[in-house]
Amino acid sequence: MPVPLRQSIRVGAYLARQRVARRDKFPLLVELEPLFQCNLACSFCGKIQYPKEILKKRMPVQTALDAIDASGAPMVSIAGELVARRRFVYLCTNALLMERKLDLFKPGPYFAWAVHMDGLRERHDASVEREGVFDKAVSAIRAAQERGFRVTTNTTFFTHDSPQTVRQVLDFLNDELRVDQMMISPAYAYEKAPDQDHFLGVEQTRALFREAFADGRRRRWRLNHTPLFLDFLEGKVDFPCTAWGIPSYSIFGWQRPCYLMADGYTKTYRELVETTDWDSYGRGRDPRCDNCMAHCGYEPTAVLATTHSLRQSLRAIAGR
């Protein structure tokens, strides 16, 4: 199933306005993090390694609303009042409490669940370091589907994944669970993550996806990506990072330079764009960027490249 037509038109119009205004930096989607506390403690995560006083903090609702309004981004990865403001919202969750909380939400064209699914049962439970999480996620997804919600998934891959495990989880999500769309990404090596031994390098990532996609299966999977980003994962094309395209806003402010690295914070998105030395980041410029191929940095580049090419735009519409 492609991106909903309403969303495609709204985002396309937003991109057109940026071109007319000749803006060279603008957000496509904001990663809104109103808190860092989590009910899991994954060894690959670099977002929860804060002292208890930070983990207890919560972002006021109005602060979140004001930040998104000021940024102008058409899409956000959190929920609430932003749906009423006609932002396309993806509520990211590990699904542990999702089924119990479904009554708090209503299906609609501006809202979708984005469930973390790092593999099939054994693989996913090992990734989140707790048994039974996979089964809870599957049950929650099915319950949400029965109520008419749009459900997407987010899958991260590591060195212990293989082309076969990539195909297995995407086949399951696509054919058996029948989620609306799937997002995939190689993991980023957070500096604070306790486990530093299983993050993929650039060549490992390219080899993994080149073989996983080799049989043409990627064309039938309902992947929530541009064809150019999938080409990028395979190593068919290379792109610079567009870190300002999917910025992160948290209890600290707008994170510099991106969702994955924290070199300080700004009060506004404009300040983030205007005061960050963007030329100092990226492969060959900052060693922390050398092995990064994450979607939050490179999907915006692929989107912009797609909108500047009729051939690639038609290819994206066709899902190839």
Side-chain angles (χ1 to χ4, degrees):
M1 181 180 295
V3 173
L5 180 60
R6 184 195 303 258
Q7 182 174 334
S8 296
I9 293 173
R10 284 282 300 279
V11 174
Y14 170 80
L15 292 171
R17 290 197 299 273
Q18 309 313 308
R19 292 184 67 179
V20 170
R22 296 185 178 181
R23 294 191 185 97
D24 61 347
K25 293 182 176 64
F26 49 86
L28 293 172
L29 178 148
V30 172
E31 297 277 4
L32 183 60
E33 298 184 290
L35 73 162
F36 289 122
Q37 194 170 46
C38 183
N39 51 13
L40 292 174
C42 308
S43 296
F44 305 109
C45 180
K47 289 286 186 177
I48 58 173
Q49 314 305 322
Y50 288 102
K52 290 183 178 179
E53 59 268 23
I54 296 298
L55 295 178
K56 290 180 180 179
K57 286 189 175 183
R58 303 292 187 268
M59 183 187 297
V61 172
Q62 193 59 49
T63 299
L65 298 178
D66 291 346
I68 300 304
D69 283 346
S71 77
M75 297 181 288
V76 188
S77 66
I78 194 67
E81 292 296 324
L82 293 165
V83 172
R85 298 186 182 205
R86 295 189 176 184
R87 294 296 199 273
F88 292 99
V89 171
Y90 290 82
L91 178 52
C92 300
T93 176
N94 57 33
L96 283 180
L97 301 177
M98 177 177 159
E99 191 165 358
R100 288 165 47 189
K101 302 293 185 178
L102 286 177
D103 289 339
L104 299 177
F105 300 89
K106 294 181 179 179
Y110 293 97
F111 179 80
W113 296 96
V115 182
H116 176 207
M117 297 288 281
D118 274 355
L120 299 182
R121 181 178 291 104
E122 183 178 355
R123 172 73 185 80
H124 181 69
D125 286 356
S127 180
V128 300
E129 301 177 39
R130 186 185 298 182
E131 290 185 8
V133 176
F134 175 85
D135 289 334
K136 284 189 176 182
V138 169
S139 177
I141 288 172
R142 287 178 170 151
Q145 290 171 326
E146 289 176 359
R147 298 192 186 197
F149 285 100
R150 185 164 167 254
V151 182
T152 68
T153 55
N154 180 14
T155 303
T156 307
F157 296 103
F158 300 86
T159 57
H160 32 39
D161 284 298
S162 67
Q164 181 180 9
T165 64
V166 172
R167 294 191 194 109
Q168 286 174 343
V169 66
L170 294 182
D171 280 346
F172 172 77
L173 296 172
N174 192 86
D175 302 335
E176 186 170 338
L177 207 50
R178 300 191 64 79
V179 298
D180 291 282
Q181 288 181 307
M182 302 167 287
M183 185 168 65
I184 59 176
S185 182
Y188 174 76
Y190 287 106
E191 290 181 305
K192 294 181 179 180
D195 187 337
Q196 291 288 322
D197 298 328
H198 295 92
F199 294 106
L200 292 160
V202 170
E203 292 307 318
Q204 289 175 300
T205 296
R206 289 170 175 166
L208 175 67
F209 288 105
R210 189 182 301 122
E211 188 172 343
F213 295 162
D215 58 3
R217 199 172 297 189
R218 91 175 215 193
R219 295 181 180 179
R220 71 173 188 80
W221 286 326
R222 294 182 295 279
L223 296 172
N224 189 18
H225 295 290
T226 58
L228 277 179
F229 177 72
L230 300 178
D231 289 347
F232 169 75
L233 291 182
E234 290 190 65
K236 293 179 178 178
V237 296
D238 200 10
F239 289 127
C241 173
T242 303
W244 42 263
I246 302 183
S248 173
Y249 184 75
S250 72
I251 56 175
F252 297 128
W254 292 94
Q255 186 166 308
R256 193 197 317 269
C258 66
Y259 175 74
L260 302 169
M261 294 160 55
D263 287 354
Y265 299 85
T266 65
K267 292 183 179 180
T268 66
Y269 178 75
R270 180 183 292 274
E271 182 185 355
L272 173 73
V273 168
E274 294 180 350
T275 64
T276 301
D277 181 8
W278 300 104
D279 291 337
S280 66
Y281 296 101
R283 241 179 261 146
R285 299 173 182 173
D286 188 313
R288 295 172 298 176
C289 304
D290 286 347
N291 287 314
C292 180
M293 295 182 72
H295 63 87
C296 60
Y298 292 96
E299 181 71 85
T301 318
V303 168
L304 295 176
T306 298
T307 62
H308 284 77
S309 166
L310 177 59
R311 175 178 175 272
Q312 294 300 335
S313 295
L314 293 174
R315 188 176 170 221
I317 292 172
R320 298 180 181 277

